[in-house]
Amino acid sequence: SAKMSSAPKDMPSPVRSIRHTQQGKLWRHGAGILCVGLCAALCLAVYQNAGDATPSILLGKALPSAPLKATASKLAEGDAAPAEGDAAAAAPAGVGGEKYVTDTSDGAGMVMPAVVIFGCGAVGLAFAAYLFYTVSLISLDSEEEDEKLVASTKASDEELKVIYETIREGAKSFLWAEYQFCFVFIVVFGAIVLVLVSHTTENGEAVWKWDIGALTCLSFVVGGLTSILSGYIGMMVAVYSNARTAVMAKKDGAEGWKGSFNTAFRAGGVMGYSLVAISMMILYMLALVFREYFTKMEGETRTVNYKELFECLAGYGLGGSAIAMFGRV
C-alpha cells in the first residue's frame, strides 16, 4: 500500500498506456505495408516497360495452341497456310479472341442463384444471431442461489464486472485507433490499385482503362469495409462473451468445463457465420452490378465480358485480406 500511495498521480491508466502502445505498433506496421506497396508499384512499372512479350504471356494473351498445331500439320501435308482472318476465326473465344461470351440465361435463370445465395446468407445470419442469443442468456449477476456455483463473494462478482467494463472500453479504443489507420490505408492503397490496374496493354500498346481500375478500386474498398465490419462484430462479441465464459467456469465439476467451452465456442461461431454470410451476399451483389456494366446487347442477344468482370472482383478479396492482416498484427 505504501508503494501504491507513492506512485505519481499523473501516471497513465493501463488502458491508456495499452492504447498508445497499440497506436505506435499500428503506425509502424502501416508504414511498412505502404513501403512494400510502393516497392511493388515500382517493380511493376519497371516490368511493364521492359518489354511486351513476357507480360503478354503472363496476362494470358498467348496464342492458342490448337490452331498452331492444326496449321503445322497442314503445312506438313503440303496444304496452304490459312489466312490471317481464318486463324483469328479459329481462335476460341476468350483466348486471344473475343472477350465477350454469349449469356443465354434469361431473367428467370438468375432467380435461382439469387435465392440460394441470399437464402444461405439469411440462414447464416439467423444462426449467428441465435448463437449470440444463447450467450446473452448468461447473466453476470449471481445473486440468485445456485448449488452448482462455486462459493464466490459479492466482491469477486463486482470485480468481474469492473474487469469486463475495462476490457470493453479498451477494446473500443483499440478498434477506433486501428480503424482510423485502416481508413487511411484504404484510401492510399485504393489509389495505388486504381492507377496500377488501369494501366494495361492491348495489341502490344500501353493503354489506360480507368473504368477497369475504378471498378477494381471499388471492389477493394467494399472488401475492406466488409472486413472492418466483421472485425468489429468479432471483437465486441469476444469481449462480451469473455466475462460470461468466466461465470460459467465457476460452476463445479464437469458443468463448469462444459458450460465455459460451449459459451466460448458459440461466441466464436457468431463472427464465423456472420462473416461468411455478409461477405457472400455483398460479393454476389457486386457481381450483379459489374455484370450489367460488362454487358453488351446485340438485339436480343446478351454478351458479357466475364474475364474483366472477375478481374475487377478480385479487388474484393484483396481489400478484405489487407484489412484482416491488421487484425492479426
Side-chain angles (χ1 to χ4, degrees), residues 39-106:
C39 292
L42 179 61
C43 293
L44 182 61
V46 174
Y47 177 73
Q48 288 183 343
N49 294 329
D52 296 331
T54 304
S56 299
I57 295 175
L58 293 179
L59 291 175
K61 297 181 180 179
L63 292 176
S65 58
L68 292 179
K69 292 181 179 179
T71 303
S73 61
K74 288 184 178 180
L75 290 177
E77 295 174 0
D79 296 339
E84 183 178 355
D86 297 336
V95 184
E98 182 62 39
K99 297 179 182 179
Y100 285 81
V101 179
T102 302
D103 191 351
T104 58
S105 62
D106 53 2

Side-chain angles (χ1 to χ4, degrees), residues 131-163:
L131 293 177
F132 181 77
Y133 172 73
T134 57
V135 175
S136 65
L137 293 178
I138 303 172
S139 176
L140 297 181
D141 298 323
S142 58
E143 296 178 357
E144 64 277 3
E145 296 181 359
D146 191 347
E147 295 179 355
K148 295 181 179 180
L149 288 177
V150 179
S152 61
T153 61
K154 186 176 181 180
S156 65
D157 294 336
E158 293 298 328
E159 184 179 4
L160 176 64
K161 293 180 183 179
V162 171
I163 295 175

Side-chain angles (χ1 to χ4, degrees), residues 10 77 89 93 105 111 137 205 215 242 248 262 276 278-279 287-288 294 299:
D10 57 346
E77 295 174 0
S105 62
V111 174
L137 293 178
E205 296 182 358
L215 292 177
N242 281 343
M248 296 302 296
N262 288 338
V276 174
I278 293 173
S279 60
L288 291 180
F294 289 106

Side-chain angles (χ1 to χ4, degrees), residues 116-227:
V116 172
I117 292 177
F118 288 109
C120 292
V123 170
L125 290 177
F127 188 69
Y130 168 75
L131 293 177
F132 181 77
Y133 172 73
T134 57
V135 175
S136 65
L137 293 178
I138 303 172
S139 176
L140 297 181
D141 298 323
S142 58
E143 296 178 357
E144 64 277 3
E145 296 181 359
D146 191 347
E147 295 179 355
K148 295 181 179 180
L149 288 177
V150 179
S152 61
T153 61
K154 186 176 181 180
S156 65
D157 294 336
E158 293 298 328
E159 184 179 4
L160 176 64
K161 293 180 183 179
V162 171
I163 295 175
Y164 164 66
E165 293 294 336
T166 303
I167 294 177
R168 186 174 65 173
E169 292 300 323
K172 289 182 179 180
S173 300
F174 166 76
L175 288 179
W176 174 242
E178 181 183 37
Y179 289 160
Q180 281 181 322
F181 182 82
C182 287
F183 291 140
V184 176
F185 172 81
I186 289 176
V187 173
V188 175
F189 208 81
I192 296 176
V193 170
L194 171 64
V195 175
L196 293 182
V197 176
S198 299
H199 187 263
T200 182
T201 56
E202 278 190 358
N203 300 324
E205 296 182 358
V207 295
W208 290 92
K209 290 187 174 182
W210 293 106
D211 56 342
I212 303 299
L215 292 177
T216 307
C217 179
L218 175 62
S219 298
F220 174 81
V221 173
V222 174
L225 295 178
T226 304
S227 184

